[in-house]
Amino acid sequence: MLARRADRQIRRQPACSRTPARPGGNREVSKPSGGAVRRLSGEMKLHCEVEVVSRHLPALGLRNRGKGVRAVLSLCQQASKSQPRPRAGDQRGGPSPACLLISTLKDRRGTRYELKENIEQFFTKFVEEGKATVRLKEPPVDICISKANSSGLKSFLSALRLAHRGCDVDAPLSPLAPVKTSEFEKFKTKMVITSKKDYPLSKNFPYYLEHLQASYCGLVRVDKRMLCLKNLKKLDLSHNHIKKLSATIGDLIHLQELNLNDNHLESFSVALCQSTLQKSLRSLDLSKNKIKALPVQFSQLRELTDLKLDDNELIRLPFKIGQLTNLRFLSAARNKLPFLPHEFKNLSLEYLDLYGNTFEKPEVLPVIMLQTPLTLLESSARTILYNRIPYGSHIIPFHLCQDLDTAKTCVCGRFCLSCFIQGTTTMNLHSVAHTVVLVDNMGGTEAPVLSYFCSLSCYVNSCDMFK
């Protein structure tokens, strides 16, 4: 009786479940990965930009537009009258003919392309950049894909290869139906959030965002989901409670504008100054925070054109600030600056605001810290810096690297470490900026500048500065 029951149970199982397992373990089923390939109810879709180029155009003397449009690519079930419908209980009735459906916001029904034995060639040289081209035989067109998630694109191309060979795709195919308008929300490039209730807690930000504003949301740290937005150009996190910045913000390689106004920041890390922001960041707003000093490496953000530091607790500016040669707008009002660094004279600004700082009167007598002869440390440090000999923590101790990074620059252009003469003088701010906001209520436009001299001769030759 037990044998008969077992025999009946085996007969009731679908044929696909009675496939014998291979020796050594279960069969592995590959699953596409990547954020841009989505499976909604088992469907596989790719969000990207697409341009369909006819190969007949050159023969007719015509050119394609050269610009893609936002689209959703879907692998769909191709209707076939000769193919019987699968019976109830069958999971898969065998390999199903598949087609490619390209849908846009203007044409949500989409355009269908057959795939079985219809793909002439794949061009995947730039697949890591989210680009690929699929060349079809009929019609003779090239489907150019761009701005796709690279891992998602690879998975989608693998599915296309299977469909071309007539194999069964490892995902149920979508019906030939119009794409929902909500699918195109993935293509949003701008998102503005100005309250806690509107902040997304359970879903990700649109992958293609280029401008994200999340103000008045009570954030105490930078949301890790924002750091996955590789196309982001403008990030506005003003009016929050952020105390520390994640160094991974530097991985946003296209970030041009960063607004951190009105937060609780106490520093700006060296890691951010040495990240890819060196090549991309144009505008930085750190006003209304609690920053007391910026690191020496801040001057490595040489693409900066706009810098706002108002309403902090700054007691000094980076003494190599003159290396920010692209800087045009600088505002550091209402801080605690006693003087400006000597390299401030190298700036060429259009707008400068230093109102409300506690500038001190220049000292009459200089501070002399000369040593004769020079110490070995001082002499070697000057030689390394003057000859621009490369150095790093893998070559010399880390504390020596820090000493070299913070070396003073003499008015003659040479460097000094701990052996120098220090003096202060006044500078008319109109010499570095076209438009200057008055530094005090008395209508003044002058500020004290701190200068260093590597030797007594340099000081004597420049003594007219102190008259």
Side-chain angles (χ1 to χ4, degrees):
M1 181 179 292
L2 292 175
R4 290 180 182 177
R5 288 181 181 176
D7 183 62
R8 284 198 297 269
Q9 289 177 354
I10 292 175
R11 290 179 182 178
R12 289 173 184 171
Q13 293 177 358
C16 62
S17 64
R18 297 201 301 268
T19 304
R22 292 181 180 180
N26 297 329
R27 292 188 302 165
E28 294 184 357
V29 179
S30 61
K31 296 183 180 181
S33 61
V37 170
R38 303 181 62 208
R39 287 191 180 183
L40 300 174
S41 302
E43 303 169 7
M44 183 178 288
K45 297 183 179 181
L46 178 71
H47 295 80
C48 58
E49 283 193 0
V50 172
E51 182 185 9
V52 180
V53 182
S54 173
R55 296 200 295 277
H56 287 324
L57 288 181
L60 299 174
L62 302 175
R63 290 184 178 182
N64 59 296
R65 293 191 312 153
K67 185 178 181 181
V69 295
R70 299 290 189 182
V72 177
L73 274 59
S74 311
L75 281 178
C76 297
Q77 177 78 51
Q78 184 170 327
S80 177
K81 296 181 180 179
S82 59
Q83 183 181 1
R85 298 178 64 181
R87 293 178 296 178
D90 289 344
Q91 292 183 353
R92 292 186 182 179
S96 303
C99 67
L100 175 64
L101 185 68
I102 302 178
S103 305
T104 63
L105 190 58
K106 292 183 178 180
D107 180 19
R108 293 190 297 111
R109 290 186 176 274
T111 304
R112 186 183 67 180
Y113 297 94
E114 294 185 9
L115 293 175
K116 187 176 181 180
E117 298 181 358
N118 192 38
I119 298 178
E120 183 175 320
Q121 193 173 357
F122 289 91
F123 298 90
T124 58
K125 183 177 180 180
F126 300 103
V127 70
E128 294 293 343
E129 300 177 14
K131 301 176 183 178
T133 298
V134 180
R135 175 165 288 178
L136 299 183
K137 298 178 182 178
E138 291 296 332
V141 297
D142 290 348
I143 300 174
C144 304
I145 302 171
S146 61
K147 295 187 178 181
N149 178 276
S150 58
S151 58
L153 177 58
K154 292 176 186 177
S155 300
F156 198 82
L157 293 175
S158 298
L160 292 183
R161 288 188 178 94
L162 292 174
H164 164 66
R165 297 169 187 162
C167 302
D168 198 8
V169 179
D170 180 44
L173 303 178
S174 311
L176 284 170
V179 174
K180 296 179 180 179
T181 306
S182 59
E183 284 287 324
F184 292 93
E185 288 292 313
K186 285 283 175 181
F187 298 128
K188 288 180 63 175
T189 58
K190 183 177 180 179
M191 187 174 188
V192 177
I193 307 167
T194 56
S195 65
K196 289 183 180 180
K197 64 177 182 179
D198 297 328
Y199 192 82
L201 297 175
S202 58
K203 62 180 182 179
N204 290 330
F205 295 101
Y207 179 77
Y208 292 96
L209 277 183
E210 296 179 0
H211 177 184
L212 173 60
Q213 178 181 347
S215 304
Y216 301 100
C217 296
L219 299 177
V220 296
R221 64 180 65 88
V222 179
D223 194 327
K224 291 183 178 180
R225 294 174 297 169
M226 298 177 183
L227 306 178
C228 299
L229 304 175
K230 299 304 181 183
N231 297 311
L232 206 60
K233 295 181 180 179
K234 183 176 180 179
L235 179 59
D236 185 345
L237 298 176
S238 58
H239 308 290
N240 283 292
H241 307 298
I242 300 173
K243 296 183 179 180
K244 188 177 181 180
L245 292 177
S246 171
T248 48
I249 289 181
D251 296 334
L252 300 175
I253 59 175
H254 298 295
L255 190 63
Q256 297 178 3
E257 299 182 33
L258 179 58
N259 188 348
L260 296 163
N261 172 43
D262 193 18
N263 276 278
H264 297 164
L265 294 173
E266 297 181 356
S267 63
F268 192 85
S269 70
V270 174
L272 285 176
C273 298
Q274 297 177 334
S275 68
T276 56
L277 296 181
Q278 291 182 359
K279 298 180 179 179
S280 64
L281 194 62
R282 304 288 191 276
S283 177
L284 177 62
D285 189 347
L286 295 173
S287 52
K288 294 186 179 180
N289 280 280
K290 300 178 181 179
I291 301 174
K292 294 183 179 180
L294 295 172
V296 177
Q297 294 81 0
F298 189 85
S299 58
Q300 296 178 16
L301 300 172
R302 298 189 182 179
E303 297 301 319
L304 274 180
T305 59
D306 295 71
L307 177 60
K308 296 181 181 180
L309 302 169
D310 303 321
D311 300 292
N312 276 279
E313 300 175 9
L314 288 172
I315 57 174
R316 67 175 182 271
L317 292 176
F319 63 86
K320 293 186 179 181
I321 193 172
Q323 296 180 3
L324 299 177
T325 54
N326 292 314
L327 195 63
R328 295 295 177 265
F329 182 103
L330 173 60
S331 182
R334 294 173 296 278
N335 279 280
K336 300 178 181 179
L337 297 174
F339 48 76
L340 301 176
H342 176 74
E343 287 200 17
F344 196 87
K345 294 181 177 182
N346 298 335
L347 294 176
S348 179
L349 305 172
E350 295 177 3
Y351 180 90
L352 175 62
D353 184 1
L354 296 175
Y355 177 80
N357 280 281
T358 55
F359 288 127
E360 298 177 356
K361 292 182 179 181
E363 295 289 340
V364 178
L365 297 176
V367 177
I368 301 176
M369 300 183 66
L370 292 177
Q371 289 180 321
T372 304
L374 295 178
T375 64
L376 180 60
L377 175 62
E378 182 77 23
S379 180
S380 57
R382 292 188 180 191
T383 301
I384 289 173
L385 293 171
Y386 181 75
N387 294 285
R388 299 183 179 181
I389 299 174
Y391 62 89
S393 56
H394 62 288
I395 302 176
I396 59 177
F398 179 71
H399 70 277
L400 294 180
C401 293
Q402 288 183 313
D403 290 341
L404 292 172
D405 288 339
T406 56
K408 285 81 175 173
T409 304
C410 177
V411 293
C412 71
R414 294 179 178 269
F415 300 92
C416 42
L417 207 63
S418 57
C419 182
F420 55 81
I421 298 177
Q422 176 184 300
T424 53
T425 184
T426 56
M427 177 185 70
N428 193 316
L429 299 178
H430 279 293
S431 63
V432 296
H434 182 269
T435 302
V436 177
V437 177
L438 302 180
V439 297
D440 53 36
N441 294 325
M442 304 300 292
T445 58
E446 293 187 342
V449 177
L450 190 65
S451 300
Y452 293 94
F453 306 90
C454 64
S455 64
L456 183 60
S457 60
C458 279
Y459 173 72
V460 171
N461 293 334
S462 304
C463 63
D464 58 327
M465 295 173 54
F466 297 93
K467 292 181 180 179

